Amino acid sequence: MVGLTSATGVVGFLLEDDPELQIFALRKLNEEIDSLWTEVVGSVDQVEALYEDPQFPERELAALVAAKVYYNLQEYNESMMFALGAGKLFNIDQDGEFEDTIISKCVDTYIALSDTTAIADSNQAPTQLNTTFPAATNGASSTSASLASPTMPFSQAILPSKSLLSRQDSTTTFDPSAQGADSPAPGSLPSSVAQQRGIIRPLHQIIERLFERCFEEQRYRQVVGIAVEARNFDVLRRAILRASQDEKKSGKPVKDGVGQAEGLLDYLLDICMDVVQERSLRQELLRLILDLLRDVPSPDVFSIAKCIVYLDESSLAAKLLLDLVETGGPRKLAEAYQIAFDLYDNSSQDFLKRARQGLPDTSPPKDPPASTENDKMEEDKTEDAQETDKLLAENKKEEEAPSSSTNGPSPALEPKAREAFEKIKDILEGKKSIALSAEFLYRHNHADRAILTKLKDSLEARNSIFHTAVTLSCGFMNAGTLNDSFYRDNLEWLGKAVNWSKFTATASLGVIHRGNLGNGQRILQPYLPKDNPSSANTSVYSQGGGLYAMGLIYANHETDALNHIREHFKRATEEVVQHGGALGLGVAGMATGDQGIYDDLKDVLYTDSALNGEAVGIAMGLIMLGSGNIKALEDMIQYAHDTQHEKIVRGLGLGMALIMYGRQEGADELVSGLLEDPDPILRYGGIQTLALAYCGTGSNKAVRKLLHCAVSDVSDDVRRYAVMSLGFILFRKPKSVPRMVELLSESYNPHVRYGAAMALGISCAGTGLDEAIDLLEPMIKDPTDFVRQGALIALSMIMIQQNEAMNPKVGSVRKTLTKAIGDRHEDAMTKFGSAIALGIIDAGGRNCTISLQTQTGNLFMPGIVGMAVFTQYWYWFPLTHFLSLSFAPTSVTALDQDLEVPDLKYHSATRPSLFDYPPEQETKTEDAPEKVKTAVLSTTAQAKRRAQKKEKQNKSWSMDIDQTPTTSKPGEGDKMDTDESAVKTEDDVKSRTEADDSDKKEGEEAKESPEKPEGLKKKMEREKVGYNLENMSRVVPAQLRFITFSDKRYQPVKKATGGVILMDDTTPEEPKKLLEMKRKVTPPQPANAATQQASAATTETPRDVGAAGAAEAVGVLTAVDEGAEGEEDADVPREFDYHSDEEGEES
């Protein structure tokens, strides 16, 4: 049948009074609407009139025709409303562009309407700060600008609503007065219009039909995605339960041990942690996941633990561990140990402390002593307390109280359960993890001593900036390895440290011995302040550095050392000692929330000392890390406005940022107030607060605000850190950062260029990303010295643990760093950056990477905090040591159910050279003292020859052999003869021009560079794919996906993610072979015991091999600097004094 070629006649039937003719016309138009819609447009009002006529029998058909007309007109909102009015005539099962577009529009509108309703219900006013900020000036950035972007209006006008990643901010924004509850999503239908047109009910019917279709086709993930964006938790619950029911009905075997419901929950958990940006929505989803996991027959306990950590539910963590131990069985016990290790890696000290308190008391029961009157009184009190507890228990029968087990020893605990809980508590305290990491770094230390020696020889030690650079590089290169022999072998060089260089050198011992819980206090005891009068002969800089070092050794590990540091801090009267004590308290007491320590720090802050005020402000933030403590924030804001010292204001700004760590929307009010402050230092603190509050979230509104400040603020410091903060926000998406900062790296402002370089280093650390390296390579030759410094440091962060097989550019980067050290024309700041970069690229003996997230994907709190404080080295060099908190050992350590290290192998499906250690730097013989020819005059040589000739003639005059006279070669008489017996002195070595050396090195590099890649390529071709690694071996993050456990006896309880992996011993009755530990472990000593052994510590040789350097450096570092006031300082670096030379010549 031939179709219609014109709609004129059919459209005329719409004007007839006969309903039959009108229905005929609508049916014909519906069939041919795609080709005739242009002729129907003029009569669409008549079609709408038929739809609105309640007496018309085919109203739904009229609505469908009108929907198709508006669809061809690209009026999608109108088309959707008429399609909803078509009822069942709108067939969602039919494939076509019209149906797909309208369904997509319905989903967007459903999400927008549901999201608006959820926001209106949950948008509660956050806790308000009582401190008011001063009015903004022209220098402050406007917060209203954060709500708009130059590229947004066009896209908002034409595009439908976005996903959670790009949706317009629905919660409270940086401007507290701006609420997004009433504004619709871009391109969606306003809620008021939807209610007036009466489409909400048919819209829900269409969505329900769509859900049912997805359920029939087992496309559950689509339903989950829509429900998450719509914040409809009932649909989420129904989708997961429906998946479980359908799986039971089908009776299909489970794939890879994961059922349909379990896989859907894993998918939902991934969305929750990686896609959802709003903190409140994420918490609601995690609580829903926890409830659903309890209904699953065999839930994934590691997913449960991940939810518990993010929700900060320590009581649920204790209950989970308790249930696993009580269930019994070797595998359940191994799972409990694995969860304990994961909790330690992902939680704060306060969370771990509460979790330990929620576990049963493992102290052995004691025999009751002979009763006395006091004991009877105590028993009466106990009986009263027990009666009270019973009454409370009766009133709260439904509440779970795992922490009640801490009231006393549990008599029902069996010996095995008691032992298990003791081990779990040790794991939660961090003792086992720290000991295993220290053993790994100690036994696999590959630090290149030749690099440190070259640094020491190339940089003048009398200049404090160079001496500090070498000590920082030594600390990073040997971080956690316990190897401080470089100090022992270079005591003369170490003795050139004065004042704050001595402070930094002493603190570097804490970086080297980090995790040495058994000997840390004993090693540092000679450096700490003493109560006896003889301590006056000890440098206050070594005392302050010793307290700082102790905090670094026990970083994020609450032990008696924290109280030890606190006692010294409270007794200290010297500002330098208070400075080091404050930093030590902050590092060791990180996230403890200890109000007593906070009050002690606040008392010192109120003395208004600029020297220790900055450290105290940072320490206050570290103690209250992530707590969002309103009272602390109000105190810090008030004092920041009262004080006149910029250093104190800067420390308080960073402290407030640390308090708001991970708070996301909860920090918006503080960010808004700080960014509008006229003081650029407080605006700088506002940028820090924004970076730490939204770290790792990828939040679009945070990125927009940072980019706006980077181009609008009048302060270079604010602009620099705004660009740098992009690295903190986006480090989970490192590939997006080079594209974002590409233009900023070419800015006219050197501070913006420096920020772009550091943003690349922070976000792409350890990835070896080529796009980031391509942006940084031109910045090495930047005309500004601190930009070159930032580029070198960023390159070392990106290239950490990279070899030439993984990234061919790593060799040239290392040569660039080495060349910058020896270049006499290079600026001091660039040399400082090169020295630090050489330590970072070989961090932890080449066994550590820089990580801002844990192996399980959560935020790595110490790493993020360490990186944030490290960036402040711009103002204060001793803060550089904080970068060591970001170093994460890259190992796979398998443990059995007894927490012992079995001697087993695991397989890597790669060539050995692909992830091997980079080669050590070759030590050239010309660097050592050598014999040289000493020049002598030609007349002297001739006199010697005559004397020798005469002497020989006298001895052999009786012989008839004529002696051949010695004659000089033509032209040789004018030259100076040499004496080869003289030995070249060190001064003579240094007196040679370095230009010749540099030319010679460049020539050698030119010869060697093309040969190395070819040789490496041939070597890899000869190698066999696949090799075995012994337990506790170095496994870089990129290698993890190639690791498999082939041992039939030991099977991992979860997928290998690096770090500690618990193994299920399938044949526990057979004898096992354990891996021999190379590091001697000394049990930790309490603070008072360490104090009593102070004199012994200074005389006895430490048991640790690495502690020898610290012991022999005591006399050098603790010596008081003589003539510190009257003595002339060392000459400043060459680049700063050439102006005075010119002035002298002119005069």
Side-chain angles (χ1 to χ4, degrees):
M1 180 179 179
V2 179
L4 294 176
T5 59
S6 176
T8 304
V10 178
V11 170
F13 289 152
L14 297 177
L15 299 176
E16 298 292 335
D17 295 333
D18 188 358
E20 295 293 336
L21 294 176
Q22 294 172 339
I23 294 173
F24 172 79
L26 289 174
R27 288 175 178 171
K28 286 296 182 181
L29 291 175
N30 183 44
E31 294 174 358
E32 306 290 341
I33 194 66
D34 290 336
S35 58
L36 302 176
W37 67 271
T38 54
E39 300 181 46
V40 184
V41 169
S43 303
V44 70
D45 294 339
Q46 300 170 10
V47 179
E48 292 184 23
L50 294 176
Y51 166 67
E52 294 172 356
D53 184 5
Q55 304 299 327
F56 187 67
E58 294 288 343
R59 293 179 63 242
E60 294 180 349
L61 180 60
L64 183 61
V65 173
K68 293 183 177 180
V69 172
Y70 280 112
Y71 165 74
N72 286 282
L73 288 172
Q74 296 186 3
E75 293 289 342
Y76 298 124
N77 282 333
E78 291 292 329
S79 177
M80 179 196 66
M81 287 188 290
F82 282 107
L84 292 175
K88 295 183 179 180
L89 292 181
F90 176 60
N91 186 9
I92 63 174
D93 297 329
Q94 183 176 348
D95 294 333
E97 292 184 4
F98 169 70
E99 287 78 12
D100 292 343
T101 304
I102 299 304
I103 290 174
S104 176
K105 197 66 184 176
C106 289
V107 172
D108 288 339
T109 305
Y110 171 77
I111 291 172
L113 295 177
S114 302
D115 188 30
T116 304
T117 305
I119 294 169
D121 296 338
S122 62
N123 222 2
Q124 300 177 356
T127 307
Q128 299 292 324
L129 288 170
N130 296 327
T131 304
T132 57
F133 291 89
T137 62
N138 294 333
S141 57
S142 172
T143 54
S144 61
S146 67
L147 306 179
S149 173
T151 61
M152 289 303 291
F154 177 76
S155 61
Q156 288 182 356
I158 65 172
L159 292 182
S161 60
K162 308 295 182 68
S163 65
L164 287 175
L165 279 176
S166 56
R167 180 190 302 166
Q168 190 178 18
D169 304 318
S170 56
T171 58
T172 305
T173 59
F174 294 111
D175 186 0
S177 62
Q179 300 292 335
D182 297 332
S183 59
S188 63
L189 197 67
S191 59
S192 58
V193 176
Q195 293 176 355
Q196 291 175 3
R197 302 289 291 268
I199 66 166
I200 294 181
R201 183 175 179 181
L203 177 65
H204 284 275
Q205 292 176 351
I206 288 290
I207 296 299
E208 287 297 323
R209 288 165 56 190
L210 181 63
F211 286 164
E212 193 61 34
R213 175 185 171 186
C214 292
F215 289 151
E216 292 175 357
E217 298 176 0
Q218 294 187 354
R219 294 187 294 175
Y220 305 105
R221 294 193 174 189
Q222 294 186 5
V223 180
V224 168
I226 295 173
V228 169
E229 293 206 46
R231 300 169 183 256
N232 194 327
F233 301 118
D234 293 335
V235 174
L236 267 179
R237 186 185 297 273
R238 189 178 62 165
I240 295 174
L241 294 178
R242 177 69 178 269
S244 179
Q245 294 173 1
D246 293 346
E247 183 182 2
K248 293 179 180 178
K249 291 180 181 178
S250 63
K252 294 181 179 180
V254 179
K255 184 179 179 181
D256 298 332
V258 179
Q260 191 81 13
E262 289 84 352
L264 205 57
L265 284 172
D266 292 340
Y267 173 70
L268 179 58
L269 184 60
D270 292 339
I271 290 179
C272 187
M273 303 305 295
D274 299 334
V275 179
V276 177
Q277 296 181 359
E278 301 168 18
R279 180 184 176 93
S280 57
L281 176 59
R282 185 184 292 120
Q283 289 182 337
E284 292 178 6
L285 287 174
L286 288 174
R287 294 187 186 280
L288 174 65
I289 293 173
L290 274 180
D291 294 339
L292 293 173
L293 283 172
R294 294 173 182 173
D295 299 334
V296 176
S298 56
D300 183 6
V301 291
F302 303 109
S303 298
I304 295 177
K306 194 173 183 179
C307 298
I308 288 173
V309 169
Y310 192 88
L311 292 173
D312 197 29
E313 294 286 352
S314 57
S315 59
L316 293 179
K319 187 176 184 303
L320 176 62
L321 294 171
L322 185 64
D323 293 342
L324 288 173
V325 174
E326 290 181 347
T327 302
R331 184 172 182 84
K332 292 296 182 182
L333 188 60
E335 290 179 353
Y337 291 154
Q338 184 68 67
I339 289 175
F341 278 110
D342 292 344
L343 289 176
Y344 175 76
D345 291 336
N346 296 281
S347 308
S348 64
Q349 291 192 52
D350 182 54
F351 179 94
L352 296 172
K353 184 177 181 180
R354 288 185 277 117
R356 291 197 303 269
Q357 292 174 350
L359 295 175
D361 188 6
T362 57
S363 58
K366 299 180 180 179
D367 297 332
S371 61
T372 60
E373 293 183 0
N374 293 334
D375 294 339
K376 291 179 180 179
M377 294 175 62
E378 293 294 335
E379 291 175 1
D380 296 339
K381 292 181 181 180
T382 304
E383 292 177 359
D384 296 338
Q386 292 176 351
E387 293 178 359
T388 305
D389 292 341
K390 290 179 181 178
L391 293 175
L392 291 174
E394 291 177 359
N395 294 331
K396 300 181 180 180
K397 288 182 179 180
E398 298 180 356
E399 296 183 1
E400 295 178 353
S403 60
S404 62
S405 58
T406 60
N407 295 335
S410 177
L413 281 181
E414 299 180 356
K416 291 185 178 180
R418 189 184 303 278
E419 181 184 0
F421 284 122
E422 287 178 353
K423 292 181 178 179
I424 289 176
K425 288 184 177 181
D426 287 342
I427 296 172
L428 294 178
E429 288 179 4
K431 296 178 181 178
K432 195 66 179 178
S433 296
I434 294 174
L436 291 172
S437 298
E439 171 66 24
F440 164 70
L441 295 175
Y442 180 81
R443 69 190 295 143
H444 293 287
N445 182 16
H446 281 72
D448 194 349
R449 181 69 174 272
I451 296 176
L452 288 175
T453 303
K454 182 174 180 59
L455 275 176
K456 175 184 69 70
D457 295 338
S458 301
L459 300 178
E460 177 56 52
R462 290 189 304 162
N463 292 321
S464 61
I465 182 174
F466 292 153
H467 197 286
T468 299
V470 178
T471 55
L472 292 172
S473 181
C474 177
F476 290 157
M477 198 175 296
N478 296 282
T481 63
L482 315 183
N483 181 15
D484 54 13
S485 60
F486 179 76
Y487 291 157
R488 177 190 60 199
D489 299 337
N490 297 278
L491 293 178
E492 181 181 355
W493 166 85
L494 192 62
K496 296 179 182 180
V498 294
N499 298 340
W500 289 106
S501 296
K502 185 172 293 186
F503 178 93
T504 308
T506 307
S508 67
L509 293 173
V511 178
I512 296 173
H513 290 276
R514 186 186 172 195
N516 193 358
L517 304 182
N519 295 320
Q521 295 185 46
R522 184 172 58 80
I523 291 172
L524 293 178
Q525 191 61 42
Y527 299 92
L528 301 180
K530 300 176 180 59
D531 298 332
N532 52 12
S534 62
S535 62
N537 297 325
T538 305
S539 172
V540 293
Y541 294 96
S542 66
Q543 294 177 13
L547 292 176
Y548 186 13
M550 182 172 289
L552 291 170
I553 289 178
Y554 297 92
N556 197 30
H557 184 70
E558 187 179 6
T559 58
D560 293 332
L562 181 62
N563 296 327
H564 194 35
I565 301 174
R566 183 181 178 185
E567 292 174 2
H568 284 297
F569 176 75
K570 293 170 67 174
R571 292 197 304 262
T573 57
E574 294 286 344
E575 291 182 342
V576 178
V577 181
Q578 290 178 339
H579 182 93
L583 293 176
L585 276 176
V587 178
M590 188 186 302
T592 56
D594 193 313
Q595 189 64 37
I597 298 177
Y598 174 83
D599 292 337
D600 293 340
L601 292 168
K602 188 169 66 172
D603 292 341
V604 176
L605 175 69
Y606 288 161
T607 61
D608 202 40
S609 169
L611 182 59
N612 54 33
E614 182 177 18
V616 168
I618 297 174
M620 292 166 68
L622 288 171
I623 294 296
M624 295 294 178
L625 180 64
S627 64
N629 192 306
I630 298 297
K631 181 66 172 60
L633 290 173
E634 291 174 351
D635 294 340
M636 298 169 79
I637 294 171
Q638 185 64 41
Y639 195 76
H641 287 129
D642 293 341
T643 186
Q644 300 298 319
H645 297 293
E646 292 185 357
K647 290 177 68 66
I648 295 179
V649 178
R650 187 175 293 111
L652 291 173
L654 180 54
M656 288 185 283
L658 292 169
I659 292 177
M660 283 299 180
Y661 165 81
R663 306 299 294 184
Q664 297 187 21
E665 294 88 357
D668 287 352
E669 184 191 0
L670 177 63
V671 171
S672 177
L674 290 174
L675 291 181
E676 291 180 350
D677 198 280
D679 188 353
I681 302 179
L682 283 179
R683 296 204 303 276
Y684 184 90
I687 296 294
Q688 291 175 314
T689 306
L690 177 59
L692 291 181
Y694 287 90
C695 60
T697 62
S699 172
N700 287 336
K701 70 176 182 180
V703 171
R704 288 200 300 270
K705 185 61 182 176
L706 290 174
L707 291 175
H708 173 72
C709 293
V711 298
S712 65
D713 202 281
V714 298
S715 171
D716 286 335
D717 290 342
V718 177
R719 299 179 68 177
R720 180 183 69 249
Y721 206 82
V723 180
M724 193 187 307
S725 297
L726 293 172
F728 288 100
I729 304 295
L730 299 170
F731 67 79
R732 281 179 167 169
K733 304 170 185 175
K735 294 184 179 180
S736 64
V737 179
R739 186 173 63 254
M740 184 172 295
V741 302
E742 183 176 2
L743 294 178
L744 295 173
S745 65
E746 300 175 358
S747 170
Y748 72 93
N749 191 327
H751 292 267
V752 174
R753 298 199 300 271
Y754 173 88
M758 292 301 293
L760 291 170
I762 294 170
S763 60
C764 306
T767 61
L769 194 63
D770 291 333
E771 293 85 349
I773 298 171
D774 293 340
L775 289 179
L776 289 171
E777 283 180 336
M779 302 175 74
I780 298 175
K781 301 177 182 179
D782 194 276
T784 308
D785 52 359
F786 62 79
V787 177
R788 298 196 298 273
Q789 179 193 77
L792 293 173
I793 294 176
L795 273 175
S796 67
M797 291 181 180
I798 297 173
M799 288 296 193
I800 190 171
Q801 284 200 328
Q802 300 283 316
N803 58 21
E804 290 192 355
M806 299 171 66
N807 194 318
K809 293 184 179 181
V810 68
S812 62
V813 170
R814 288 181 177 272
K815 291 176 182 177
T816 302
L817 296 175
T818 307
K819 184 178 179 181
I821 292 296
D823 189 356
R824 62 182 299 181
H825 302 292
E826 190 60 86
D827 294 327
M829 294 184 68
T830 307
K831 289 185 177 181
F832 180 84
S834 298
I836 294 178
L838 284 171
I840 294 173
I841 200 170
D842 289 338
R846 299 181 174 179
N847 292 304
C848 289
T849 187
I850 294 177
S851 178
L852 302 186
Q853 57 182 336
T854 63
Q855 301 282 359
T856 55
N858 287 0
L859 298 180
F860 183 42
M861 182 188 68
I864 295 173
V865 171
M867 182 65 74
V869 182
F870 160 73
T871 57
Q872 304 309 302
Y873 82 89
W874 179 280
Y875 302 102
W876 194 234
F877 287 156
L879 297 180
T880 311
H881 286 309
F882 270 82
L883 183 62
S884 62
L885 301 181
S886 302
F887 295 161
T890 53
S891 67
V892 173
T893 303
L895 301 181
D896 59 10
Q897 289 97 328
D898 298 327
L899 299 185
E900 295 177 333
V901 185
D903 187 5
L904 57 84
K905 307 286 186 182
Y906 41 86
H907 185 74
S908 176
T910 60
R911 291 182 172 89
S913 60
L914 181 58
F915 299 106
D916 199 6
Y917 289 97
E920 294 187 358
Q921 182 177 352
E922 296 181 1
T923 304
K924 299 180 180 179
T925 56
E926 64 181 16
D927 295 338
E930 60 183 6
K931 293 183 179 181
V932 297
K933 300 178 180 180
T934 304
V936 295
L937 295 175
S938 59
T939 55
T940 306
Q942 291 177 0
K944 286 185 177 181
R945 283 196 295 270
R946 289 194 211 100
Q948 292 175 359
K949 179 180 178 181
K950 188 175 182 180
E951 184 179 357
K952 290 180 180 178
Q953 288 178 350
N954 292 334
K955 290 183 179 179
S956 59
W957 65 273
S958 59
M959 299 179 65
D960 294 334
I961 301 175
D962 294 334
Q963 185 71 26
T964 303
T966 305
T967 58
S968 59
K969 295 181 181 180
E972 193 178 53
D974 297 335
K975 295 183 180 180
M976 300 170 66
D977 293 337
T978 57
D979 183 7
E980 298 183 359
S981 61
V983 180
K984 181 180 179 183
T985 62
E986 188 174 359
D987 293 335
D988 293 329
V989 176
K990 293 183 178 178
S991 65
R992 291 184 305 170
T993 57
E994 296 179 5
D996 295 338
D997 290 344
S998 61
D999 294 340
K1000 187 181 296 183
K1001 291 178 181 177
E1002 290 176 359
E1004 292 175 356
E1005 291 173 6
K1007 294 179 181 178
E1008 294 177 2
S1009 56
E1011 296 177 1
K1012 284 187 177 179
E1014 288 294 332
L1016 181 62
K1017 185 177 181 180
K1018 292 180 179 179
K1019 179 182 176 182
M1020 293 184 65
E1021 290 176 354
R1022 290 195 303 266
E1023 287 178 342
K1024 184 179 179 181
V1025 177
Y1027 64 103
N1028 291 329
L1029 292 167
E1030 68 173 7
N1031 197 3
M1032 198 178 281
S1033 291
R1034 172 182 180 264
V1035 179
V1036 297
Q1039 189 180 2
L1040 283 172
R1041 57 195 179 101
F1042 301 105
I1043 296 296
T1044 55
F1045 291 91
S1046 55
D1047 196 308
K1048 296 181 180 180
R1049 175 173 180 177
Y1050 296 99
Q1051 298 297 324
V1053 297
K1054 73 166 189 176
K1055 183 180 178 181
T1057 56
V1060 177
I1061 300 293
L1062 265 295
M1063 312 296 287
D1064 182 20
D1065 189 356
T1066 56
T1067 56
E1069 66 279 357
E1070 297 182 4
K1072 58 184 178 181
K1073 184 180 179 182
L1074 301 179
L1075 196 67
E1076 182 181 359
M1077 299 292 104
K1078 296 183 179 180
R1079 188 179 73 94
K1080 295 181 180 179
V1081 181
T1082 305
Q1085 296 180 355
N1088 54 2
T1091 305
Q1092 294 173 1
Q1093 296 179 0
S1095 59
T1098 57
T1099 57
E1100 292 181 1
T1101 302
R1103 273 176 263 181
D1104 277 346
V1105 176
E1112 295 189 18
V1114 170
V1116 176
L1117 291 178
T1118 59
V1120 179
D1121 302 327
E1122 297 180 1
E1125 296 181 359
E1127 187 181 19
E1128 293 184 1
D1129 294 334
D1131 295 335
V1132 294
R1134 186 181 301 275
E1135 56 272 19
F1136 295 116
D1137 62 357
Y1138 64 93
H1139 294 293
S1140 60
D1141 293 341
E1142 292 177 359
E1143 292 175 0
E1145 292 176 0
E1146 292 175 0
S1147 61

